[in-house]
Structure formats: structure tokens, C-alpha cells
Amino acid sequence: MRIGPRYKIARRLGPGVFDKTQTQKFAASQSRREDAGKGKRPGTGTQFAVQMLEKQKARYTYGVGERQFKNYAKTALTQRKVSPAAQLFERLETRLDNVIYRLGLTKSRQAARQMVNHGHLMINGVKTDIPSYQVFVGDKIRIRDGSAKKPLFKEVEEMIKKAPMPIWIKYDNTKREWEIIGMPKHNPLETVFDLSSVIEFYSR
């Protein structure tokens, strides 16, 4: 998925969609723009507009193209055991590029996607270079031996220590590998987008 100017997109969707815009520099820039716009009448969005906005927030947060995101949402709508919103969240969180980001190996999902594309990761002993690859309980992830010595992974142990490890992933320091031990749980209070609105958008 190609992404345009992040500052411009974040001003429309909110700073939480990109790591780059979750900074004091962006906050200061946004504050100046808001001060300059004081006195203008705020727009009142329709329900469709609000749903569209939430969809775009989710898409840009995970860096997923429209076609693939729509497929995720449509698949989630067919589920009966869990809510469609929870199913969509699980699908997005268990993408390999997002998992690598969650492990703390990169500072952004875009960098994680590039890391996967370059073939630095192994899933269950097999080199995997597909960012959208879905991980499941029992899958084991590790850095490829040929990549572990590269400068990119020079401080991997420090990176791991600093990253808040998700409870659904376990790291084995001896084997230097991560294992998926559960599935991510959807908590609407912890996201910058409303997946229920996203599901409503695709339910039309």
C-alpha cells in the first residue's frame, strides 16, 4: 500500500495512525493550525462520513490496501463465534508485519513490512517474505541466521527489552524465537479507530 504525505493524512485522521506523527513536533504543528482555524464553523459529518473516516483510520494504521481490507471486513462479517469487529481486529493484528512491529524489532509497521519483504524472518523454520502472512497459535518466529549478523539486528536484545511484549506472544531467550501462544483480544478503548463503525460501513 502506497501512503502519501503522513502529516497531511494525520491532520485528517488523527495523529495515532502513524508512529511518525505521534510526536511533539506534530502536536505543535497541529496546535498552530487549530489556532489559525478558530472561529470557523465545524462541519457535521453524516453517519456514512464517520464510518468512512474510521475505516480510513484503521487502513492507514495497519498500512493495508482497500481491496485487502475489504476482504478482511467481509470475512469478519461471516463469523458467528465472535463479533465481526473482534474478528477484524484479530486478522489485522496477526498479520506478520504487524507482529514484527509488536515484537519491537522496528519502530513502525512500514519498517516491519520492509523487514519481512527482505526475507529476514523465519516462520516455523521456513523463510517468509509476505507481510500479510497470517500467524496462528503455535507458530514460531525467529530471525534468519543469515540476517542475524546484519547491522539491522545488532541491538536486537535491547530492542526486545524495551518493547512491551503482547500477552499473546512468548519470547524464548535461549532459542531466540517468539511463539504465538494466543490470539489478540479486541479492546475498543485501546485503539484510535472504531471497528464497529468499520463493520457497519461494510454491512451496507
Side-chain angles (χ1 to χ4, degrees):
M1 173 183 171
R2 297 188 65 179
I3 299 175
R6 284 168 172 72
Y7 269 38
K8 183 177 180 180
I9 294 171
R11 281 196 289 269
R12 177 166 53 90
L13 303 179
V17 296
F18 301 123
D19 296 275
K20 180 180 180 180
T21 54
Q22 297 176 45
T23 62
Q24 291 184 344
K25 179 181 178 181
F26 178 79
S29 172
Q30 188 75 340
S31 179
R32 288 194 296 270
R33 292 180 68 88
E34 289 174 355
D35 289 341
K38 282 183 178 179
K40 295 182 179 179
R41 181 179 297 178
T44 56
T46 63
Q47 183 180 28
F48 175 82
V50 171
Q51 292 170 356
M52 172 70 82
L53 184 68
E54 295 304 317
K55 182 201 73 165
Q56 294 297 74
K57 284 182 183 179
R59 274 191 59 225
Y60 279 106
T61 294
Y62 289 97
V64 180
E66 174 61 36
R67 180 180 297 180
Q68 190 168 46
F69 191 86
K70 181 179 180 179
N71 288 337
Y72 287 162
K74 291 295 184 181
T75 300
L77 282 165
T78 66
Q79 301 301 307
R80 295 291 180 265
K81 293 183 179 180
V82 297
S83 72
Q87 178 65 26
L88 177 56
F89 178 76
E90 182 179 298
R91 198 69 182 269
L92 292 168
E93 280 289 310
T94 54
R95 284 173 53 98
L96 182 56
D97 53 2
N98 181 74
V99 172
I100 297 307
Y101 169 70
R102 293 296 188 202
L103 297 182
L105 294 181
T106 63
K107 294 182 179 180
S108 69
R109 288 182 178 85
Q110 183 183 22
R113 190 171 302 113
Q114 187 175 40
M115 182 180 288
V116 176
N117 275 328
H118 288 177
H120 293 307
L121 287 308
M122 305 276 286
I123 308 294
N124 301 325
V126 179
K127 186 175 80 168
T128 306
D129 57 6
I130 303 173
S132 61
Y133 180 92
Q134 298 287 157
V135 301
F136 296 95
V137 174
D139 282 350
K140 295 181 179 180
I141 305 168
R142 67 180 177 85
I143 300 169
R144 191 168 60 87
D145 291 340
S147 300
K149 300 176 183 179
K150 295 181 180 293
L152 180 65
F153 300 102
K154 184 179 180 181
E155 300 178 354
V156 65
E157 293 297 332
E158 287 301 315
M159 295 164 70
I160 293 170
K161 290 177 182 178
K162 293 179 181 178
M165 189 70 64
I167 61 174
W168 47 281
I169 303 175
K170 180 179 68 175
Y171 179 60
D172 187 323
N173 188 52
T174 303
K175 297 181 179 179
R176 292 194 172 186
E177 70 177 16
W178 296 264
E179 181 179 358
I180 307 300
I181 58 174
M183 286 285 106
K185 303 300 181 184
H186 179 223
N187 183 346
L189 299 178
E190 296 179 351
T191 59
V192 298
F193 42 78
D194 181 1
L195 286 181
S196 293
S197 289
V198 175
I199 292 298
E200 288 173 4
F201 177 86
Y202 286 107
S203 298
R204 292 177 295 107

